[in-house]
Each structure stands twice: as C-alpha cells, then as structure tokens.
Amino acid sequence: MKIDPTTIRKDFPILNQRVNDEPLIYLDNAATTQKPISVLERVAAFYQHDNANVHRGVHTLANRATIAYENSRDTVKDFIHASKRQEVIFTKGTTQSLNWVAKGFASKILKPGDNIVVSPMEHHSNLVPWQQVAHETGANLVYLPMTKDGRIDLESFKHVLGPKDKLLAITHASNVLGTVNPIRKLADVMHQNKGYIVVDGAQAVPHMPVDVTDLNCDFYCFSGHKMLAPTGIGILYGKFDLLDQLTPQEFGGEMIQTVGDFQSTFADLPYRLEGGTPNISGAVGIKAAIDYLQSVGMTEIASYEKKLTDVVLPVLKTIPGIEVYGPDQRTAVFSFNITGIHPHDVATAFDMEGIAVRAGHHCAQPLMRHLGIDSSVRASFYFYNTPAEAKHFLETIPVVKEFFGNGLI
Ligand code: C6P
C-alpha cells in the first residue's frame, strides 16, 4: 500500500489543530508519537467492557483481560519475529528493559577487567545502566570508534575487538543522528568473539521492519509510546536461554511458583519477569498500535520516511549558517544548529510558527561532547507528516534566522 498522508492523518485527530494561530506541524516524534483513533478506542473499549486483573480470576472479565493481554504478547512476537512467545516480556519501556538486562543478566556474566562496549551515540538509557554495571563488576566501559559523520566504523571495530569485549550495547537507530547501525554484522562479530549484543531499538521498531531472529541479537528493547501506543508499556525481547538466566528485578505477586515462609520458587518465562499487576491497558494499546502499523505496512513506512528524508536533508544541508549532524543514510531525524542562535531559542521560534521540534542534549550528552556542542535542535518525522510539512519546516528556518537577526545580535 502506498502511504497517503491525507487519509492517514484522519486517524490522528490531535494533528488537526492550530498552535499559536498556525496549523500544528508535529516534528517531535523521536520523543513520542501521536496515537491513532483505533488505539484510543481500543484502550477505552478495554476499560469499558473487559477491565479486570490478569492471570488471577476465573470470572469472565478476568478471562477476557488475560486473553487480551496474552494476545498482545503474540502480536508483538510476530511483529518482531521472535521465535517463542516466552521471549517477549512486557516492561515500562526501553529504559526499564535495558536496566533489567544490565542488572539481571550482564552483572552476572561480567568479571573484573571485561569490557562493556558502547557507541558514542547512545541514549543515556543505554549508557548509564552500563556505567552502573561497570562500577559493580569491575568491568570497563569502552567506546566504539565512530566516523566524523556519525557512523560506526565496523572495520576498525573488528580490528580492536579482543577476548575481553564481552558485551556490546548499541542503538539500532540514533535518536540524534538518525544513523542506522548494522546490527546483524555487529552481532556476528560479537558472537564470533563469544560475546553478547544488547540492542536499543527505541528509534528503529517504529520506523522499519525489525526481525530480531534475523538480526541475531541477544536482547532487543523498545518502547510503545514511540510507535503509536500509550506511554508506560515497552518490550524486552531476549533469546530464550539468555532471558531464562536473567534474574528478576521485581519480586512479588504474579512471578512466583510457590512461596514458602522463608524462600520462594519462581514461575517460568515470561511471568517470572513480570512481577505485580502489569500494564494491561498498555499491552492492549501496543497490540492496537501494531495492528495499525501493520495495516499501513512497515516497509511502506520506511520507504515513505526515506522520501521525507530526501526532501529535507539536501536542502537543510545547503542553508547558510546551519550545521547538520549525522550521515546521509538515516532515519527521518535531523539534528542541527544555527550559528549564533541557541537551540532553545530556535525551538521557541519554531513553536511560534506552530512547529514542534525538540532542543537540548536529547539525553545523549556523550554524543554532544563528541560533536563538540552542548545541544542541538532536532526535527523528527513520522509517516503522518507530509512533504508539504517538510517544506514548510525548511521555509521556516530563514524566518527563524531573521527573527534572531541571523544570529548576529
Ligand atoms: N528518547 C528522545 O526525545 P523511554 O524513555 O524508556 O521510552 O526511551 C528511552 C530511549 C532509549 N533509547 C533511545 C534511542 C531513545 O531515543 C529513547 C528516548 C526520547 O530522543 C526521549 S529522551
């Protein structure tokens, strides 16, 4: 199916509003995405008709809620091509998923002197947990080499990789640069080295087909809210045997088999890792979101966003006084600075024109230092954004520059 944004936008009523007297152009999709009516209605319908706790009751509503929750797990499994439903764990989001892998798995396998390898483009959520694990285990945190335009230098990585490099934690797609990393190749290299690869998929799963089996990653983490689902729901995927070694980070109801006075035994996967009442409506929402994404088509979404990138990037790069960060091959994420104007001022001026962009360090302070900046402006697109919006965004840059005296004041 070819994407027709006019039809698609009818499903996203929030986009049809004026902000500061201008039609809203929402370009902050890397932060969170808007929700289609089908997701909103599905969540409301769950609460109106089926709401109950899961895996506990025998009554009809409890059964309906459990079926809805477990159906969602099957939908996620098929969406990311996991081989078993037990490999899909519901979490709060990418941050929690990554923390659980770091605390529950990596801390057990790492020894003093081992290396945890990360890239300079990691979001803090895929960095701070590894710093913590490094402190706790005596492992070292080492950074992959990165090219000037923000790509992983695979050849030099292969060259420097040694037996101490036990775990690579890397993003699939950068939230700042739009770089898409070669996960399968990196996984092969790590596995040849008898190491593991943990992937932060927060900015990839919403925008391209992802097949975790084909990527051969050991763990893969992502958030629902960046792919049309509500906030507070996310996924931890892990290969069964590895997930089975992961120590639960939350103990209590739901995750046990038997509880004695002084010790307990734990349930099998996936329940062992889902202690307490889970985010049931979130699971219902992520299923509805995936159903919507699949009705549009992930391949179609990826190629539509590539077209938007082809509209934006060549023009953005030629605007005088603008520095654009990241490679030519990228997702539809554009981070840039305008000489002499603070990114927060730029974002405020965009907002006055009805355009929502993000400014700041984007939770990637090491990357900012690598780029030699403190912060940047970021415009991030999704498949409901139109080429006309992309053009209007570009046309607004000179307006913003002029408003601030072209950065000369
Ligand atoms: N990035 C952004 O504006 P959570 O908050 O757990 O849903 O996702 C964290 C996260 C992890 N990895 C990457 C690559 C991300 O982009 C994010 C979230 C948002 O860029 C909010 S800082």
Side-chain angles (χ1 to χ4, degrees), residues 166-393:
K166 286 283 156 56
L167 187 143
L168 169 64
I170 189 156
T171 192
H172 195 168
S174 162
N175 66 321
V176 178
L177 306 170
T179 311
V180 180
N181 288 316
I183 298 301
R184 177 59 203 238
K185 286 188 183 142
L186 290 163
D188 288 347
V189 172
M190 285 311 292
H191 292 147
Q192 275 157 21
N193 201 47
K194 300 201 179 343
Y196 301 97
I197 179 167
V198 181
V199 182
D200 173 352
Q203 300 290 350
V205 175
H207 302 284
M208 62 190 77
V210 168
D211 181 329
V212 291
T213 303
D214 192 43
L215 291 173
N216 201 13
C217 46
D218 297 309
F219 295 97
Y220 195 101
C221 308
F222 57 101
S223 299
H225 70 97
K226 293 185 197 293
M227 47 182 282
L228 313 181
T231 48
I233 186 82
I235 302 297
L236 163 58
Y237 158 82
K239 284 181 182 165
F240 184 88
D241 292 343
L242 302 179
L243 212 49
D244 213 26
Q245 295 170 43
L246 196 149
T247 306
Q249 297 304 303
E250 279 167 13
F251 299 89
E254 280 289 284
M255 51 79 66
I256 50 85
Q257 206 164 41
T258 57
V259 177
D261 285 351
F262 299 104
Q263 55 191 15
S264 304
T265 57
F266 304 135
D268 291 333
L269 287 176
Y271 310 110
R272 193 165 57 78
L273 297 176
E274 294 180 358
T277 299
N279 182 352
I280 308 165
S281 63
V284 165
I286 203 172
K287 176 176 168 31
I290 292 172
D291 289 344
Y292 187 93
L293 288 169
Q294 286 184 317
S295 74
V296 179
M298 291 312 297
T299 309
E300 286 72 11
I301 289 173
S303 62
Y304 179 79
E305 290 182 24
K306 164 92 177 62
K307 281 189 201 129
L308 289 178
T309 302
D310 291 343
V311 172
V312 174
L313 194 56
V315 179
L316 192 62
K317 282 168 85 172
T318 55
I319 299 177
I322 293 234
E323 188 168 10
V324 185
Y325 309 101
D328 287 342
Q329 298 295 320
R330 61 163 73 200
T331 58
V333 170
F334 311 97
S335 292
F336 60 95
N337 271 313
I338 305 178
T339 311
I341 314 177
H342 194 279
H344 281 126
D345 291 336
V346 175
T348 306
F350 268 116
D351 185 53
M352 283 160 56
E353 301 293 324
I355 301 175
V357 295
R358 185 177 168 186
H361 53 60
H362 313 295
C363 301
Q365 287 185 13
L367 175 62
M368 296 291 120
R369 281 194 291 279
H370 197 94
L371 297 171
I373 56 177
D374 293 328
S375 54
S376 73
V377 184
R378 182 189 68 187
S380 53
F381 289 69
Y382 209 13
F383 63 97
Y384 43 60
N385 292 121
T386 66
E389 285 183 325
K391 286 193 189 111
H392 189 64
F393 157 72

Side-chain angles (χ1 to χ4, degrees), residues 141-163:
L141 200 62
V142 297
Y143 283 80
L144 279 174
M146 192 169 88
T147 62
K148 254 184 132 181
D149 65 344
R151 288 174 297 111
I152 295 307
D153 189 345
L154 194 65
E155 286 315 308
S156 30
F157 174 50
K158 279 188 199 160
H159 205 65
V160 295
L161 194 77

